Amino acid sequence: MPTERFQFDGAAGDRLSAALDLPDGAPRAYALFAHCFSCGKDTHAARRIAMALTAHGIAVLRFDFTGLGSSEGDFANTTFSSNVADLVRAADHLRETRQAPSILIGHSLGGAAVLVAAGDIPDAKAVVTIAAPSDPAHVTAMFKDSLEAIRRDGTAEVSLAGRPFRISSSFLDDVAEQRLLDKVKHLHKALLVMHSPVDDTVGIDNATHIFVAAKHPKSFISLDHADHLISSKQDAAYIAEVIASWAGRYVAPAAAEPAATDGPRDVVVRETCSSKLQQSIALGPHRLTADEPVSVGGQDTGPGPYDLLLAALGACTSMTMRLYADRKFLPLDRITVTLRHSKIHAEDCAECETKVGLIDQLEREIHLDGALDDEQRKKLMEIADKCPVHRTLTSEIRIVTRVAE
């Protein structure tokens, strides 16, 4: 996954640090991600969700709010409203340099922020909240023992996730004035609410309030055993899978790439980093996910390497037989190819040159529907062995491997 890192001007003029995660090929959509309170763009949740979304062709812009991470500015001078303004400015930057975001995603307080910012980002068609509070003032519970000191002195240093932050009374005034659910009632965009029922930082009742206030189209997804910070790779991958599938209804499909005319196109396989073995596969405008079963260390989110090999042989077999049948005007209605891979002892294969050890065996069972006579069926079965992938697998293969520059 290529990532472009740059800076842009925030609402207050501070230079904000950003990362744009891009898929292989042209993005089908752009998303803007808002991180949780006092967090940053490089949290595990932000990075993992962004990486997983790129596997589905969605580019993701994530950035550090003013005074956080690598961004300029003083966190003590920021408010919830200034974070919203930074989000709108980030969307403006995407619109000016790439393409306006059609998907807004917010985690925790960032979820509340995207709900408010959505009204000022007209290009956004879909909004996603992850573990978001229904009232931004909920965040003050994280430093409730310091509220009196903040009110008395104007600012006070508090500890959030083991790090010191200075909170001002203007921050308290700002979150107290927010009427988030009124914004939700007039959202006029598709909404996906994602929340864990065991979230002990922002309770599930917050998701209920947001969902009830919203008008359709709206959806709710339970994150089951996920923690508030979405610290599990598997939870982040699941969130991204759901977002990509759900948002597809509301964003324009990816533009088809021109058909290749000078031979086969490149196949690019890259780790998603969302789970141990999951891979994204890019073939021109097409995107696939590969994985392994749970029993061998994967998450079973996609076909395994040998599954894909069998699929290639099966698809090629069916296509070759179909082309022959249509050219000969045979009454062939449908072809079904069932394949299996196994290892067998070499001595059990009479026609094999190898006589010692184990060899790979691919079993191919072909079912032909249609009013075919015996001679036609026999000829079609002969044609099956002439498919290009079959010929490749049964001929000498040379694989050239080199280190990419």
Side-chain angles (χ1 to χ4, degrees):
M1 176 192 69
T3 299
E4 294 184 2
R5 294 188 178 272
F6 55 90
Q7 292 182 324
F8 66 94
D9 291 331
D14 298 301
R15 297 291 286 171
L16 304 186
S17 177
L20 179 62
D21 301 310
L22 294 163
D24 294 308
R28 58 181 283 219
Y30 282 80
L32 177 58
F33 188 98
H35 60 70
C36 53
F37 182 62
S38 78
C39 299
K41 68 179 183 304
D42 294 316
T43 61
H44 289 316
R47 287 191 303 103
R48 290 167 178 168
I49 291 172
M51 284 191 290
L53 283 172
T54 62
H56 295 275
I58 298 174
V60 183
L61 174 63
R62 46 193 171 91
F63 70 97
D64 294 324
F65 283 116
T66 300
L68 292 172
S70 301
S71 288
E72 296 177 352
D74 188 349
F75 181 77
N77 295 330
T78 65
T79 63
F80 178 78
S81 293
S82 71
N83 286 346
V84 171
D86 281 346
L87 271 171
V88 175
R89 184 64 197 96
D92 292 341
H93 181 80
L94 260 184
R95 186 183 300 106
E96 294 161 5
T97 59
R98 293 278 186 158
Q99 179 181 311
S102 54
I103 307 168
L104 305 179
I105 307 168
H107 178 208
S108 192
L109 191 64
V114 297
L115 288 171
V116 176
D120 294 318
I121 306 176
D123 314 85
K125 302 295 188 292
V127 180
V128 182
T129 65
I130 305 166
S134 58
D135 181 356
H138 183 283
V139 75
T140 61
M142 299 175 65
F143 45 86
K144 59 184 178 181
D145 294 339
S146 302
L147 294 179
E148 184 178 341
I150 296 171
R151 289 296 187 190
R152 182 187 66 242
D153 302 327
T155 65
E157 188 174 277
V158 303
S159 178
L160 301 172
R163 294 179 296 155
F165 291 91
R166 186 159 290 277
I167 302 294
S168 67
S169 58
S170 60
F171 179 90
L172 300 183
D173 294 337
D174 184 73
V175 293
E177 293 171 359
Q178 299 297 322
R179 298 292 179 267
L180 180 61
L181 295 182
D182 288 340
K183 294 285 187 180
V184 175
K185 291 176 183 177
H186 301 94
L187 186 62
H188 302 304
K189 301 179 191 293
L191 175 64
L192 173 61
V193 179
M194 310 182 84
H195 214 112
S196 169
V198 295
D199 190 330
D200 56 5
T201 302
V202 178
I204 189 68
D205 57 311
N206 287 270
T208 301
H209 297 323
I210 294 172
F211 188 82
V212 170
K215 293 181 172 62
H216 287 289
K218 58 183 178 180
S219 304
F220 172 77
I221 292 293
S222 173
L223 299 180
D224 298 334
H225 304 295
D227 58 24
H228 181 70
L229 293 179
I230 315 297
S231 57
S232 163
K233 285 185 179 181
Q234 289 73 25
D235 290 331
Y238 173 71
I239 288 170
E241 291 280 343
V242 172
I243 292 174
S245 178
W246 171 83
R249 182 180 290 268
Y250 306 106
V251 300
E257 294 184 3
T261 56
D262 298 321
R265 54 195 170 193
D266 288 347
V267 176
V268 180
V269 181
R270 178 178 282 118
E271 287 185 308
T272 67
C273 297
S274 294
S275 62
K276 183 177 180 180
L277 298 175
Q278 189 184 69
Q279 311 289 317
S280 68
I281 304 173
L283 310 91
H286 308 294
R287 298 293 180 272
L288 301 174
T289 298
D291 205 342
E292 286 281 21
V294 176
S295 60
V296 294
Q299 294 297 319
D300 204 20
T301 58
Y306 277 103
D307 298 329
L308 293 169
L309 177 65
L310 292 177
L313 177 58
C316 184
T317 300
S318 181
M319 292 175 183
T320 303
M321 297 174 78
R322 170 53 60 193
L323 290 172
Y324 177 83
D326 288 353
R327 189 168 64 251
K328 297 296 184 178
F329 302 102
L330 301 182
L332 176 60
D333 296 331
R334 170 174 280 184
I335 306 162
T336 303
V337 185
T338 303
L339 303 103
R340 301 175 191 84
H341 168 254
S342 61
K343 296 278 190 178
I344 64 170
H345 291 285
E347 59 264 28
D348 294 333
C349 178
E351 66 271 23
C352 295
E353 293 182 7
T354 301
K355 297 302 179 183
V356 179
L358 296 175
I359 60 173
D360 290 280
Q361 177 168 286
L362 304 184
E363 298 178 59
R364 181 174 53 179
E365 182 179 283
I366 303 174
H367 184 81
L368 304 176
D369 289 322
L372 299 161
D373 59 34
D374 291 342
E375 187 60 32
Q376 290 169 332
R377 289 179 181 275
K378 179 181 177 181
K379 185 60 179 178
L380 281 168
M381 293 302 289
E382 292 174 1
I383 293 298
D385 288 345
K386 298 182 184 298
C387 97
V389 172
H390 180 109
R391 288 180 170 178
T392 297
L393 291 174
T394 54
S395 64
E396 183 177 359
I397 300 176
R398 178 172 178 252
I399 298 176
V400 180
T401 304
R402 61 181 180 272
V403 177
E405 296 182 1

